[in-house]
Amino acid sequence: MGKSFAYFYDTVMGPLEKRWIAHIRKKIVSGLEGKVLEIGAGTGANFPYYSKEKVERVVSLEPNPYMLDQAKRRAKEFKLPVEFHQGMAETLPFNDGEFDTVVATLVLCSVSDPQKVFQEMRRVCKQGGKIVLFEHVRTESKTLATLQDVLTPAWKRLCDGCHLNRDTGRYMKESGIKMVKEKKYFKGIFVEYEGINPK
Ligand SMILES: C[S@@+](CC[C@H](N)C(=O)[O-])C[C@H]1O[C@@H](n2cnc3c(N)ncnc32)[C@H](O)[C@@H]1O
């Protein structure tokens, strides 16, 4: 797992975070309640935006040990009690129906098996619980999607396995999650998804 990717991630993302992504993170995370699982939490970029009054518990899963170290520091800095786990979203080390909400931001682009990840998200989320994502995805614009296809092999090597052209919305729908929100930004390159785990 990329040591340099972990060290440079916050710095490289900094300008975009300040201008835009931080606002989306706040919007997505600040209203979450109950027991929340965040997969691929990275350096803990969402941690400042959880409401300590609303969440009962934040559980974080991240495979990259260098990201995990930074996330632990960030949780301390923001005094957010987080239960940390090192692991992969394809094999979540949690019981069925344990969480009220499962959240992931900018993660599905990097996992090796998105279908398995959605299956696992559904398994650990309560029936009727929420699955909330913010992702960059394959666009509906043919020209842009072709560009994403061309750039993805080099991008994957540079950015720790990240696919620019992943059709995350399709995988989410195919998993049986009931989609209740799909808000697109920048010609649909970035999308906020909210789904309900059906009964
Ligand atoms: C682009 S970073 C996003 C980090 C963070 N979620 C954010 O919004 O800044 C992608 C993250 O997904 C993690 N990741 C990659 N493959 C994963 C997998 N199979 N299961 C869980 N997390 C994974 C990476 O280690 C990395 O922390």
Side-chain angles (χ1 to χ4, degrees):
M1 279 282 170
K3 191 173 182 177
S4 45
F5 181 72
Y7 288 139
F8 289 118
Y9 184 73
D10 282 348
T11 310
V12 170
M13 291 293 282
L16 198 58
E17 284 283 343
K18 275 201 192 112
R19 285 175 68 92
W20 180 57
I21 296 184
H23 162 76
I24 305 276
R25 293 188 189 283
K26 188 172 180 187
K27 190 154 87 98
I28 288 179
V29 162
S30 62
L32 299 182
E33 295 178 356
K35 194 172 169 188
V36 178
L37 170 66
E38 180 169 340
I39 65 162
T43 61
N46 290 321
F47 293 172
Y49 307 107
Y50 283 97
S51 158
K52 286 172 211 151
E53 289 72 40
K54 287 184 186 158
V55 282
E56 183 189 314
R57 201 149 142 223
V58 178
V59 177
S60 144
L61 179 113
E62 166 59 43
N64 182 327
Y66 308 102
M67 290 283 203
L68 193 55
D69 282 349
Q70 294 185 56
K72 285 179 180 170
R73 283 201 289 276
R74 191 167 261 148
K76 217 177 215 174
E77 184 189 344
F78 286 90
K79 297 186 173 57
L80 181 75
V82 177
E83 180 186 311
F84 288 99
H85 293 259
Q86 188 175 357
M88 308 288 279
E90 285 86 349
T91 49
L92 292 174
F94 306 111
N95 295 325
D96 296 359
E98 229 186 284
F99 297 96
D100 296 292
T101 302
V102 181
V103 60
T105 60
L106 308 173
V107 175
L108 270 295
C109 51
S110 297
V111 303
S112 47
D113 187 346
Q115 283 156 321
K116 186 77 181 53
V117 171
F118 278 117
Q119 201 181 319
E120 280 290 89
M121 283 175 139
R122 279 201 64 185
R123 182 183 66 75
V124 302
C125 186
K126 280 183 184 158
Q127 291 185 350
K130 279 204 280 190
I131 293 170
V132 184
L133 307 180
F134 172 64
E135 294 290 333
H136 67 78
V137 299
R138 183 182 183 82
T139 69
E140 283 160 9
S141 148
K142 275 200 175 142
T143 318
L144 275 179
T146 305
L147 189 63
Q148 288 176 314
D149 291 339
V150 171
L151 292 176
T152 287
W155 188 260
K156 262 173 74 179
R157 280 195 293 276
L158 207 63
C159 299
D160 220 18
C162 171
H163 298 70
L164 287 171
N165 58 353
R166 183 147 282 169
D167 199 349
T168 298
R170 178 171 63 82
Y171 289 121
M172 187 168 176
K173 286 171 199 160
E174 284 175 1
S175 75
I177 294 166
K178 183 174 173 236
M179 194 73 91
V180 294
K181 181 176 179 184
E182 202 173 345
K183 186 166 169 43
K184 299 180 183 173
Y185 303 90
F186 301 124
K187 297 191 184 295
I189 293 176
F190 289 87
V191 185
E192 232 186 285
Y193 299 103
E194 188 176 319
I196 301 291
N197 195 21
K199 292 194 168 67

